[in-house]
Amino acid sequence: MRAFRKFLRFAIIIICVGFIALMAREGKLSPVWKNIQGLFPGKKEHKLTFKDYEFKPVKRKDIFQKVLATGTVTLKTGAEVKIGARISGQLEKLMVKIGDLVKAGDIIATIEHEDLLARVAQFTADLKAEDARLAKIRQEGPLEINKLKAALEELNVQISLAEKMLSRNQALKKRGFVSEAVVDKANERLMVLNAQIKLAEEEIKLEEARSQNDLRLQNAKVEKALANILEEETQLSYSTITAPIDG
């Protein structure tokens, strides 16, 4: 008889627990619980009002986001950096061996470059020669032009005298002191001088143009010689192989 009562109480408890779980699952437990609380006098639920909140002025600030993670950092074994030369040639000297530590910029190897050194020396000599020719042109060009201008000045002086001589002979002819032949000779002299002056002026213009052209051509030769040196020096720098990174 006692065993039956115990079993009955246990079954009632199981049924009640199952009923409560079912109501909680369907969301019907909260209203029931509120009704049960209403049967017992006690502290009522406090409703929030305006006074329960604290207000502060809005300020603009930076928002930082931090990401935390755990893990391990391991070196990648077998990583390789390919290093090569930009010019072809036989290896002259190897500065390092497999496994050595190097820093970026360290010399690793050199390639034979005697021929490059010879070309750099040759182009350097060519540049000096072209510079010397350029200096000569700059010096001799103005000298020749100044010589022609001096000759022109002399002709201008002669033509001034010839004009005076012609004017005087014409006055003497009117008086009958000189013949027509003397006047013609003075006039002919003046015409020759005028022709020589025009020729001298043209020669000055031609010499100035020739001098400018010679300067342009020689400057071009100097620039070409300089470019040849820079090209060979660049090729020479490629004969030294350096480490691109630390490792």
Side-chain angles (χ1 to χ4, degrees), residues 179-217:
S179 64
E180 185 71 26
V182 174
V183 176
D184 292 342
K185 186 175 181 180
N187 190 27
E188 182 181 355
R189 172 64 177 169
L190 184 60
M191 293 175 62
V192 170
L193 288 174
N194 280 323
Q196 290 178 348
I197 285 176
K198 290 182 179 180
L199 180 61
E201 290 175 346
E202 292 297 327
E203 287 180 351
I204 291 174
K205 291 180 181 179
L206 290 174
E207 184 61 29
E208 288 176 344
R210 187 187 65 81
S211 179
Q212 291 296 325
N213 187 54
D214 290 344
L215 281 174
R216 285 194 295 268
L217 291 176

PDB file of all heavy atoms in Angstrom, residues 179-217:
ATOM      1  N   SER A 179      89.889 116.362-115.091  1.00  0.00           N
ATOM      2  CA  SER A 179      89.182 115.844-116.266  1.00  0.00           C
ATOM      3  C   SER A 179      88.024 114.929-115.841  1.00  0.00           C
ATOM      4  O   SER A 179      87.880 114.542-114.680  1.00  0.00           O
ATOM      5  CB  SER A 179      90.160 115.070-117.156  1.00  0.00           C
ATOM      6  OG  SER A 179      90.646 113.944-116.469  1.00  0.00           O
ATOM      7  N   GLU A 180      87.232 114.562-116.862  1.00  0.00           N
ATOM      8  CA  GLU A 180      86.112 113.630-116.624  1.00  0.00           C
ATOM      9  C   GLU A 180      86.626 112.265-116.191  1.00  0.00           C
ATOM     10  O   GLU A 180      85.976 111.559-115.408  1.00  0.00           O
ATOM     11  CB  GLU A 180      85.301 113.500-117.915  1.00  0.00           C
ATOM     12  CG  GLU A 180      84.041 112.669-117.783  1.00  0.00           C
ATOM     13  CD  GLU A 180      82.970 113.375-116.967  1.00  0.00           C
ATOM     14  OE1 GLU A 180      82.971 114.612-116.922  1.00  0.00           O
ATOM     15  OE2 GLU A 180      82.124 112.677-116.354  1.00  0.00           O
ATOM     16  N   ALA A 181      87.802 111.869-116.660  1.00  0.00           N
ATOM     17  CA  ALA A 181      88.362 110.551-116.332  1.00  0.00           C
ATOM     18  C   ALA A 181      88.650 110.443-114.838  1.00  0.00           C
ATOM     19  O   ALA A 181      88.455 109.374-114.217  1.00  0.00           O
ATOM     20  CB  ALA A 181      89.635 110.322-117.134  1.00  0.00           C
ATOM     21  N   VAL A 182      89.101 111.532-114.253  1.00  0.00           N
ATOM     22  CA  VAL A 182      89.384 111.502-112.806  1.00  0.00           C
ATOM     23  C   VAL A 182      88.094 111.303-112.014  1.00  0.00           C
ATOM     24  O   VAL A 182      88.037 110.541-111.044  1.00  0.00           O
ATOM     25  CB  VAL A 182      90.093 112.811-112.386  1.00  0.00           C
ATOM     26  CG1 VAL A 182      90.257 112.867-110.873  1.00  0.00           C
ATOM     27  CG2 VAL A 182      91.438 112.927-113.074  1.00  0.00           C
ATOM     28  N   VAL A 183      87.058 111.964-112.440  1.00  0.00           N
ATOM     29  CA  VAL A 183      85.763 111.806-111.757  1.00  0.00           C
ATOM     30  C   VAL A 183      85.244 110.386-111.921  1.00  0.00           C
ATOM     31  O   VAL A 183      84.732 109.766-110.972  1.00  0.00           O
ATOM     32  CB  VAL A 183      84.747 112.829-112.298  1.00  0.00           C
ATOM     33  CG1 VAL A 183      83.367 112.596-111.667  1.00  0.00           C
ATOM     34  CG2 VAL A 183      85.223 114.238-112.012  1.00  0.00           C
ATOM     35  N   ASP A 184      85.375 109.840-113.119  1.00  0.00           N
ATOM     36  CA  ASP A 184      84.908 108.462-113.352  1.00  0.00           C
ATOM     37  C   ASP A 184      85.681 107.459-112.502  1.00  0.00           C
ATOM     38  O   ASP A 184      85.106 106.486-111.979  1.00  0.00           O
ATOM     39  CB  ASP A 184      85.056 108.117-114.833  1.00  0.00           C
ATOM     40  CG  ASP A 184      84.098 108.905-115.703  1.00  0.00           C
ATOM     41  OD1 ASP A 184      83.107 109.449-115.141  1.00  0.00           O
ATOM     42  OD2 ASP A 184      84.333 109.004-116.910  1.00  0.00           O
ATOM     43  N   LYS A 185      86.977 107.687-112.368  1.00  0.00           N
ATOM     44  CA  LYS A 185      87.792 106.777-111.571  1.00  0.00           C
ATOM     45  C   LYS A 185      87.369 106.818-110.095  1.00  0.00           C
ATOM     46  O   LYS A 185      87.294 105.780-109.422  1.00  0.00           O
ATOM     47  CB  LYS A 185      89.260 107.157-111.731  1.00  0.00           C
ATOM     48  CG  LYS A 185      90.198 106.180-111.048  1.00  0.00           C
ATOM     49  CD  LYS A 185      91.651 106.548-111.336  1.00  0.00           C
ATOM     50  CE  LYS A 185      92.589 105.549-110.667  1.00  0.00           C
ATOM     51  NZ  LYS A 185      94.015 105.895-110.933  1.00  0.00           N
ATOM     52  N   ALA A 186      87.075 107.993-109.577  1.00  0.00           N
ATOM     53  CA  ALA A 186      86.637 108.119-108.178  1.00  0.00           C
ATOM     54  C   ALA A 186      85.281 107.471-107.977  1.00  0.00           C
ATOM     55  O   ALA A 186      85.021 106.811-106.950  1.00  0.00           O
ATOM     56  CB  ALA A 186      86.585 109.594-107.786  1.00  0.00           C
ATOM     57  N   ASN A 187      84.437 107.607-108.975  1.00  0.00           N
ATOM     58  CA  ASN A 187      83.106 106.974-108.888  1.00  0.00           C
ATOM     59  C   ASN A 187      83.217 105.452-108.936  1.00  0.00           C
ATOM     60  O   ASN A 187      82.504 104.731-108.224  1.00  0.00           O
ATOM     61  CB  ASN A 187      82.244 107.491-110.038  1.00  0.00           C
ATOM     62  CG  ASN A 187      80.789 107.080-109.869  1.00  0.00           C
ATOM     63  OD1 ASN A 187      80.320 106.879-108.755  1.00  0.00           O
ATOM     64  ND2 ASN A 187      80.065 106.968-110.970  1.00  0.00           N
ATOM     65  N   GLU A 188      84.125 104.979-109.813  1.00  0.00           N
ATOM     66  CA  GLU A 188      84.344 103.525-109.900  1.00  0.00           C
ATOM     67  C   GLU A 188      84.880 102.969-108.585  1.00  0.00           C
ATOM     68  O   GLU A 188      84.478 101.890-108.135  1.00  0.00           O
ATOM     69  CB  GLU A 188      85.317 103.241-111.042  1.00  0.00           C
ATOM     70  CG  GLU A 188      85.569 101.763-111.246  1.00  0.00           C
ATOM     71  CD  GLU A 188      86.569 101.514-112.366  1.00  0.00           C
ATOM     72  OE1 GLU A 188      86.980 102.495-113.023  1.00  0.00           O
ATOM     73  OE2 GLU A 188      86.942 100.341-112.570  1.00  0.00           O
ATOM     74  N   ARG A 189      85.793 103.710-107.967  1.00  0.00           N
ATOM     75  CA  ARG A 189      86.337 103.290-106.672  1.00  0.00           C
ATOM     76  C   ARG A 189      85.241 103.171-105.617  1.00  0.00           C
ATOM     77  O   ARG A 189      85.206 102.219-104.830  1.00  0.00           O
ATOM     78  CB  ARG A 189      87.394 104.306-106.243  1.00  0.00           C
ATOM     79  CG  ARG A 189      87.938 104.150-104.840  1.00  0.00           C
ATOM     80  CD  ARG A 189      88.677 102.853-104.665  1.00  0.00           C
ATOM     81  NE  ARG A 189      89.263 102.751-103.334  1.00  0.00           N
ATOM     82  CZ  ARG A 189      89.795 101.622-102.831  1.00  0.00           C
ATOM     83  NH1 ARG A 189      89.815 100.516-103.581  1.00  0.00           N
ATOM     84  NH2 ARG A 189      90.299 101.616-101.629  1.00  0.00           N
ATOM     85  N   LEU A 190      84.323 104.096-105.634  1.00  0.00           N
ATOM     86  CA  LEU A 190      83.216 104.070-104.671  1.00  0.00           C
ATOM     87  C   LEU A 190      82.303 102.870-104.900  1.00  0.00           C
ATOM     88  O   LEU A 190      81.856 102.210-103.943  1.00  0.00           O
ATOM     89  CB  LEU A 190      82.418 105.372-104.782  1.00  0.00           C
ATOM     90  CG  LEU A 190      81.271 105.544-103.774  1.00  0.00           C
ATOM     91  CD1 LEU A 190      81.785 105.525-102.345  1.00  0.00           C
ATOM     92  CD2 LEU A 190      80.506 106.846-104.060  1.00  0.00           C
ATOM     93  N   MET A 191      82.046 102.558-106.143  1.00  0.00           N
ATOM     94  CA  MET A 191      81.191 101.415-106.466  1.00  0.00           C
ATOM     95  C   MET A 191      81.839 100.092-106.038  1.00  0.00           C
ATOM     96  O   MET A 191      81.175  99.184-105.512  1.00  0.00           O
ATOM     97  CB  MET A 191      80.896 101.393-107.958  1.00  0.00           C
ATOM     98  CG  MET A 191      80.031 102.564-108.433  1.00  0.00           C
ATOM     99  SD  MET A 191      79.805 102.600-110.238  1.00  0.00           S
ATOM    100  CE  MET A 191      78.958 101.044-110.483  1.00  0.00           C
ATOM    101  N   VAL A 192      83.143  99.973-106.237  1.00  0.00           N
ATOM    102  CA  VAL A 192      83.860  98.757-105.832  1.00  0.00           C
ATOM    103  C   VAL A 192      83.793  98.574-104.319  1.00  0.00           C
ATOM    104  O   VAL A 192      83.559  97.470-103.796  1.00  0.00           O
ATOM    105  CB  VAL A 192      85.322  98.810-106.323  1.00  0.00           C
ATOM    106  CG1 VAL A 192      86.129  97.680-105.694  1.00  0.00           C
ATOM    107  CG2 VAL A 192      85.368  98.734-107.831  1.00  0.00           C
ATOM    108  N   LEU A 193      83.981  99.659-103.595  1.00  0.00           N
ATOM    109  CA  LEU A 193      83.930  99.580-102.134  1.00  0.00           C
ATOM    110  C   LEU A 193      82.532  99.184-101.634  1.00  0.00           C
ATOM    111  O   LEU A 193      82.395  98.412-100.680  1.00  0.00           O
ATOM    112  CB  LEU A 193      84.347 100.918-101.535  1.00  0.00           C
ATOM    113  CG  LEU A 193      85.837 101.265-101.650  1.00  0.00           C
ATOM    114  CD1 LEU A 193      86.098 102.685-101.146  1.00  0.00           C
ATOM    115  CD2 LEU A 193      86.695 100.260-100.884  1.00  0.00           C
ATOM    116  N   ASN A 194      81.520  99.724-102.286  1.00  0.00           N
ATOM    117  CA  ASN A 194      80.151  99.337-101.917  1.00  0.00           C
ATOM    118  C   ASN A 194      79.916  97.832-102.125  1.00  0.00           C
ATOM    119  O   ASN A 194      79.274  97.161-101.305  1.00  0.00           O
ATOM    120  CB  ASN A 194      79.138 100.141-102.724  1.00  0.00           C
ATOM    121  CG  ASN A 194      78.928 101.537-102.160  1.00  0.00           C
ATOM    122  OD1 ASN A 194      78.926 101.721-100.938  1.00  0.00           O
ATOM    123  ND2 ASN A 194      78.789 102.532-103.030  1.00  0.00           N
ATOM    124  N   ALA A 195      80.434  97.324-103.238  1.00  0.00           N
ATOM    125  CA  ALA A 195      80.289  95.889-103.510  1.00  0.00           C
ATOM    126  C   ALA A 195      81.056  95.064-102.474  1.00  0.00           C
ATOM    127  O   ALA A 195      80.581  94.017-102.002  1.00  0.00           O
ATOM    128  CB  ALA A 195      80.785  95.573-104.919  1.00  0.00           C
ATOM    129  N   GLN A 196      82.236  95.512-102.103  1.00  0.00           N
ATOM    130  CA  GLN A 196      83.026  94.796-101.097  1.00  0.00           C
ATOM    131  C   GLN A 196      82.338  94.802 -99.724  1.00  0.00           C
ATOM    132  O   GLN A 196      82.401  93.819 -98.980  1.00  0.00           O
ATOM    133  CB  GLN A 196      84.411  95.431-101.007  1.00  0.00           C
ATOM    134  CG  GLN A 196      85.292  95.176-102.223  1.00  0.00           C
ATOM    135  CD  GLN A 196      86.644  95.863-102.116  1.00  0.00           C
ATOM    136  OE1 GLN A 196      86.856  96.707-101.239  1.00  0.00           O
ATOM    137  NE2 GLN A 196      87.549  95.519-103.037  1.00  0.00           N
ATOM    138  N   ILE A 197      81.675  95.897 -99.408  1.00  0.00           N
ATOM    139  CA  ILE A 197      80.958  95.970 -98.129  1.00  0.00           C
ATOM    140  C   ILE A 197      79.799  94.973 -98.097  1.00  0.00           C
ATOM    141  O   ILE A 197      79.593  94.260 -97.105  1.00  0.00           O
ATOM    142  CB  ILE A 197      80.453  97.408 -97.892  1.00  0.00           C
ATOM    143  CG1 ILE A 197      81.622  98.308 -97.500  1.00  0.00           C
ATOM    144  CG2 ILE A 197      79.391  97.432 -96.787  1.00  0.00           C
ATOM    145  CD1 ILE A 197      81.247  99.760 -97.333  1.00  0.00           C
ATOM    146  N   LYS A 198      79.051  94.896 -99.183  1.00  0.00           N
ATOM    147  CA  LYS A 198      77.948  93.929 -99.244  1.00  0.00           C
ATOM    148  C   LYS A 198      78.464  92.498 -99.120  1.00  0.00           C
ATOM    149  O   LYS A 198      77.874  91.655 -98.436  1.00  0.00           O
ATOM    150  CB  LYS A 198      77.171  94.102-100.542  1.00  0.00           C
ATOM    151  CG  LYS A 198      76.367  95.393-100.609  1.00  0.00           C
ATOM    152  CD  LYS A 198      75.580  95.483-101.908  1.00  0.00           C
ATOM    153  CE  LYS A 198      74.757  96.777-101.969  1.00  0.00           C
ATOM    154  NZ  LYS A 198      73.992  96.878-103.231  1.00  0.00           N
ATOM    155  N   LEU A 199      79.587  92.228 -99.789  1.00  0.00           N
ATOM    156  CA  LEU A 199      80.181  90.902 -99.718  1.00  0.00           C
ATOM    157  C   LEU A 199      80.652  90.590 -98.294  1.00  0.00           C
ATOM    158  O   LEU A 199      80.452  89.461 -97.784  1.00  0.00           O
ATOM    159  CB  LEU A 199      81.356  90.807-100.700  1.00  0.00           C
ATOM    160  CG  LEU A 199      82.089  89.455-100.739  1.00  0.00           C
ATOM    161  CD1 LEU A 199      81.132  88.345-101.157  1.00  0.00           C
ATOM    162  CD2 LEU A 199      83.280  89.515-101.689  1.00  0.00           C
ATOM    163  N   ALA A 200      81.251  91.556 -97.631  1.00  0.00           N
ATOM    164  CA  ALA A 200      81.724  91.357 -96.253  1.00  0.00           C
ATOM    165  C   ALA A 200      80.560  91.100 -95.308  1.00  0.00           C
ATOM    166  O   ALA A 200      80.651  90.258 -94.388  1.00  0.00           O
ATOM    167  CB  ALA A 200      82.529  92.576 -95.805  1.00  0.00           C
ATOM    168  N   GLU A 201      79.464  91.795 -95.490  1.00  0.00           N
ATOM    169  CA  GLU A 201      78.281  91.584 -94.644  1.00  0.00           C
ATOM    170  C   GLU A 201      77.715  90.177 -94.818  1.00  0.00           C
ATOM    171  O   GLU A 201      77.303  89.533 -93.845  1.00  0.00           O
ATOM    172  CB  GLU A 201      77.232  92.638 -94.972  1.00  0.00           C
ATOM    173  CG  GLU A 201      77.613  94.043 -94.515  1.00  0.00           C
ATOM    174  CD  GLU A 201      76.613  95.094 -94.969  1.00  0.00           C
ATOM    175  OE1 GLU A 201      75.771  94.776 -95.859  1.00  0.00           O
ATOM    176  OE2 GLU A 201      76.654  96.229 -94.458  1.00  0.00           O
ATOM    177  N   GLU A 202      77.676  89.701 -96.078  1.00  0.00           N
ATOM    178  CA  GLU A 202      77.200  88.341 -96.334  1.00  0.00           C
ATOM    179  C   GLU A 202      78.132  87.303 -95.713  1.00  0.00           C
ATOM    180  O   GLU A 202      77.677  86.289 -95.164  1.00  0.00           O
ATOM    181  CB  GLU A 202      77.069  88.105 -97.842  1.00  0.00           C
ATOM    182  CG  GLU A 202      75.973  88.916 -98.499  1.00  0.00           C
ATOM    183  CD  GLU A 202      74.602  88.549 -97.966  1.00  0.00           C
ATOM    184  OE1 GLU A 202      74.386  87.366 -97.622  1.00  0.00           O
ATOM    185  OE2 GLU A 202      73.739  89.449 -97.886  1.00  0.00           O
ATOM    186  N   GLU A 203      79.442  87.550 -95.799  1.00  0.00           N
ATOM    187  CA  GLU A 203      80.399  86.621 -95.204  1.00  0.00           C
ATOM    188  C   GLU A 203      80.231  86.533 -93.686  1.00  0.00           C
ATOM    189  O   GLU A 203      80.354  85.455 -93.086  1.00  0.00           O
ATOM    190  CB  GLU A 203      81.829  87.056 -95.557  1.00  0.00           C
ATOM    191  CG  GLU A 203      82.213  86.809 -97.003  1.00  0.00           C
ATOM    192  CD  GLU A 203      83.629  87.254 -97.301  1.00  0.00           C
ATOM    193  OE1 GLU A 203      84.229  87.907 -96.407  1.00  0.00           O
ATOM    194  OE2 GLU A 203      84.129  86.946 -98.393  1.00  0.00           O
ATOM    195  N   ILE A 204      79.936  87.647 -93.054  1.00  0.00           N
ATOM    196  CA  ILE A 204      79.713  87.646 -91.600  1.00  0.00           C
ATOM    197  C   ILE A 204      78.476  86.818 -91.247  1.00  0.00           C
ATOM    198  O   ILE A 204      78.488  86.015 -90.304  1.00  0.00           O
ATOM    199  CB  ILE A 204      79.574  89.092 -91.088  1.00  0.00           C
ATOM    200  CG1 ILE A 204      80.911  89.817 -91.176  1.00  0.00           C
ATOM    201  CG2 ILE A 204      79.063  89.097 -89.646  1.00  0.00           C
ATOM    202  CD1 ILE A 204      80.837  91.290 -90.826  1.00  0.00           C
ATOM    203  N   LYS A 205      77.409  86.994 -92.022  1.00  0.00           N
ATOM    204  CA  LYS A 205      76.193  86.215 -91.768  1.00  0.00           C
ATOM    205  C   LYS A 205      76.437  84.716 -91.948  1.00  0.00           C
ATOM    206  O   LYS A 205      75.994  83.888 -91.139  1.00  0.00           O
ATOM    207  CB  LYS A 205      75.078  86.674 -92.703  1.00  0.00           C
ATOM    208  CG  LYS A 205      74.559  88.073 -92.410  1.00  0.00           C
ATOM    209  CD  LYS A 205      73.460  88.450 -93.390  1.00  0.00           C
ATOM    210  CE  LYS A 205      72.944  89.866 -93.113  1.00  0.00           C
ATOM    211  NZ  LYS A 205      71.882  90.259 -94.079  1.00  0.00           N
ATOM    212  N   LEU A 206      77.156  84.355 -93.026  1.00  0.00           N
ATOM    213  CA  LEU A 206      77.461  82.943 -93.269  1.00  0.00           C
ATOM    214  C   LEU A 206      78.339  82.356 -92.162  1.00  0.00           C
ATOM    215  O   LEU A 206      78.135  81.217 -91.723  1.00  0.00           O
ATOM    216  CB  LEU A 206      78.143  82.786 -94.630  1.00  0.00           C
ATOM    217  CG  LEU A 206      77.271  83.036 -95.870  1.00  0.00           C
ATOM    218  CD1 LEU A 206      78.120  82.997 -97.134  1.00  0.00           C
ATOM    219  CD2 LEU A 206      76.151  82.007 -95.944  1.00  0.00           C
ATOM    220  N   GLU A 207      79.314  83.125 -91.721  1.00  0.00           N
ATOM    221  CA  GLU A 207      80.213  82.641 -90.665  1.00  0.00           C
ATOM    222  C   GLU A 207      79.463  82.460 -89.355  1.00  0.00           C
ATOM    223  O   GLU A 207      79.707  81.501 -88.610  1.00  0.00           O
ATOM    224  CB  GLU A 207      81.377  83.624 -90.482  1.00  0.00           C
ATOM    225  CG  GLU A 207      82.427  83.184 -89.485  1.00  0.00           C
ATOM    226  CD  GLU A 207      83.097  81.886 -89.882  1.00  0.00           C
ATOM    227  OE1 GLU A 207      83.182  81.602 -91.097  1.00  0.00           O
ATOM    228  OE2 GLU A 207      83.536  81.149 -88.981  1.00  0.00           O
ATOM    229  N   GLU A 208      78.558  83.366 -89.041  1.00  0.00           N
ATOM    230  CA  GLU A 208      77.762  83.231 -87.811  1.00  0.00           C
ATOM    231  C   GLU A 208      76.877  81.983 -87.873  1.00  0.00           C
ATOM    232  O   GLU A 208      76.766  81.239 -86.886  1.00  0.00           O
ATOM    233  CB  GLU A 208      76.913  84.485 -87.610  1.00  0.00           C
ATOM    234  CG  GLU A 208      77.711  85.701 -87.188  1.00  0.00           C
ATOM    235  CD  GLU A 208      76.856  86.950 -87.100  1.00  0.00           C
ATOM    236  OE1 GLU A 208      75.730  86.935 -87.657  1.00  0.00           O
ATOM    237  OE2 GLU A 208      77.293  87.944 -86.483  1.00  0.00           O
ATOM    238  N   ALA A 209      76.262  81.747 -89.046  1.00  0.00           N
ATOM    239  CA  ALA A 209      75.425  80.557 -89.198  1.00  0.00           C
ATOM    240  C   ALA A 209      76.263  79.289 -89.116  1.00  0.00           C
ATOM    241  O   ALA A 209      75.863  78.293 -88.484  1.00  0.00           O
ATOM    242  CB  ALA A 209      74.678  80.618 -90.532  1.00  0.00           C
ATOM    243  N   ARG A 210      77.427  79.309 -89.772  1.00  0.00           N
ATOM    244  CA  ARG A 210      78.307  78.130 -89.718  1.00  0.00           C
ATOM    245  C   ARG A 210      78.774  77.846 -88.292  1.00  0.00           C
ATOM    246  O   ARG A 210      78.834  76.700 -87.855  1.00  0.00           O
ATOM    247  CB  ARG A 210      79.511  78.360 -90.628  1.00  0.00           C
ATOM    248  CG  ARG A 210      80.406  77.136 -90.777  1.00  0.00           C
ATOM    249  CD  ARG A 210      81.663  77.473 -91.555  1.00  0.00           C
ATOM    250  NE  ARG A 210      82.485  78.430 -90.820  1.00  0.00           N
ATOM    251  CZ  ARG A 210      83.302  78.070 -89.820  1.00  0.00           C
ATOM    252  NH1 ARG A 210      83.401  76.808 -89.455  1.00  0.00           N
ATOM    253  NH2 ARG A 210      84.019  78.985 -89.210  1.00  0.00           N
ATOM    254  N   SER A 211      79.106  78.903 -87.559  1.00  0.00           N
ATOM    255  CA  SER A 211      79.564  78.732 -86.191  1.00  0.00           C
ATOM    256  C   SER A 211      78.468  78.130 -85.313  1.00  0.00           C
ATOM    257  O   SER A 211      78.719  77.221 -84.504  1.00  0.00           O
ATOM    258  CB  SER A 211      80.021  80.075 -85.630  1.00  0.00           C
ATOM    259  OG  SER A 211      80.452  79.942 -84.291  1.00  0.00           O
ATOM    260  N   GLN A 212      77.235  78.623 -85.463  1.00  0.00           N
ATOM    261  CA  GLN A 212      76.131  78.073 -84.685  1.00  0.00           C
ATOM    262  C   GLN A 212      75.860  76.619 -85.038  1.00  0.00           C
ATOM    263  O   GLN A 212      75.583  75.781 -84.163  1.00  0.00           O
ATOM    264  CB  GLN A 212      74.863  78.915 -84.934  1.00  0.00           C
ATOM    265  CG  GLN A 212      74.923  80.327 -84.363  1.00  0.00           C
ATOM    266  CD  GLN A 212      75.031  80.330 -82.846  1.00  0.00           C
ATOM    267  OE1 GLN A 212      74.461  79.479 -82.164  1.00  0.00           O
ATOM    268  NE2 GLN A 212      75.768  81.294 -82.315  1.00  0.00           N
ATOM    269  N   ASN A 213      75.961  76.299 -86.329  1.00  0.00           N
ATOM    270  CA  ASN A 213      75.748  74.920 -86.754  1.00  0.00           C
ATOM    271  C   ASN A 213      76.840  73.999 -86.205  1.00  0.00           C
ATOM    272  O   ASN A 213      76.551  72.880 -85.743  1.00  0.00           O
ATOM    273  CB  ASN A 213      75.723  74.851 -88.282  1.00  0.00           C
ATOM    274  CG  ASN A 213      75.341  73.483 -88.794  1.00  0.00           C
ATOM    275  OD1 ASN A 213      74.306  72.931 -88.422  1.00  0.00           O
ATOM    276  ND2 ASN A 213      76.179  72.906 -89.652  1.00  0.00           N
ATOM    277  N   ASP A 214      78.074  74.467 -86.251  1.00  0.00           N
ATOM    278  CA  ASP A 214      79.179  73.670 -85.700  1.00  0.00           C
ATOM    279  C   ASP A 214      78.989  73.426 -84.209  1.00  0.00           C
ATOM    280  O   ASP A 214      79.285  72.335 -83.694  1.00  0.00           O
ATOM    281  CB  ASP A 214      80.513  74.368 -85.953  1.00  0.00           C
ATOM    282  CG  ASP A 214      80.904  74.353 -87.423  1.00  0.00           C
ATOM    283  OD1 ASP A 214      80.306  73.560 -88.179  1.00  0.00           O
ATOM    284  OD2 ASP A 214      81.798  75.136 -87.814  1.00  0.00           O
ATOM    285  N   LEU A 215      78.502  74.438 -83.502  1.00  0.00           N
ATOM    286  CA  LEU A 215      78.258  74.290 -82.063  1.00  0.00           C
ATOM    287  C   LEU A 215      77.174  73.248 -81.789  1.00  0.00           C
ATOM    288  O   LEU A 215      77.319  72.412 -80.886  1.00  0.00           O
ATOM    289  CB  LEU A 215      77.857  75.638 -81.449  1.00  0.00           C
ATOM    290  CG  LEU A 215      78.985  76.632 -81.166  1.00  0.00           C
ATOM    291  CD1 LEU A 215      78.415  77.956 -80.700  1.00  0.00           C
ATOM    292  CD2 LEU A 215      79.940  76.066 -80.114  1.00  0.00           C
ATOM    293  N   ARG A 216      76.097  73.294 -82.577  1.00  0.00           N
ATOM    294  CA  ARG A 216      75.027  72.313 -82.383  1.00  0.00           C
ATOM    295  C   ARG A 216      75.510  70.898 -82.654  1.00  0.00           C
ATOM    296  O   ARG A 216      75.213  69.971 -81.889  1.00  0.00           O
ATOM    297  CB  ARG A 216      73.835  72.653 -83.297  1.00  0.00           C
ATOM    298  CG  ARG A 216      73.005  73.840 -82.819  1.00  0.00           C
ATOM    299  CD  ARG A 216      71.680  73.902 -83.556  1.00  0.00           C
ATOM    300  NE  ARG A 216      71.892  74.165 -84.976  1.00  0.00           N
ATOM    301  CZ  ARG A 216      71.897  75.367 -85.511  1.00  0.00           C
ATOM    302  NH1 ARG A 216      71.732  76.436 -84.745  1.00  0.00           N
ATOM    303  NH2 ARG A 216      72.076  75.529 -86.808  1.00  0.00           N
ATOM    304  N   LEU A 217      76.247  70.738 -83.748  1.00  0.00           N
ATOM    305  CA  LEU A 217      76.750  69.404 -84.082  1.00  0.00           C
ATOM    306  C   LEU A 217      77.715  68.883 -83.020  1.00  0.00           C
ATOM    307  O   LEU A 217      77.652  67.707 -82.623  1.00  0.00           O
ATOM    308  CB  LEU A 217      77.446  69.440 -85.450  1.00  0.00           C
ATOM    309  CG  LEU A 217      76.538  69.670 -86.669  1.00  0.00           C
ATOM    310  CD1 LEU A 217      77.372  69.780 -87.934  1.00  0.00           C
ATOM    311  CD2 LEU A 217      75.532  68.539 -86.797  1.00  0.00           C
TER     312      LEU A 217
END
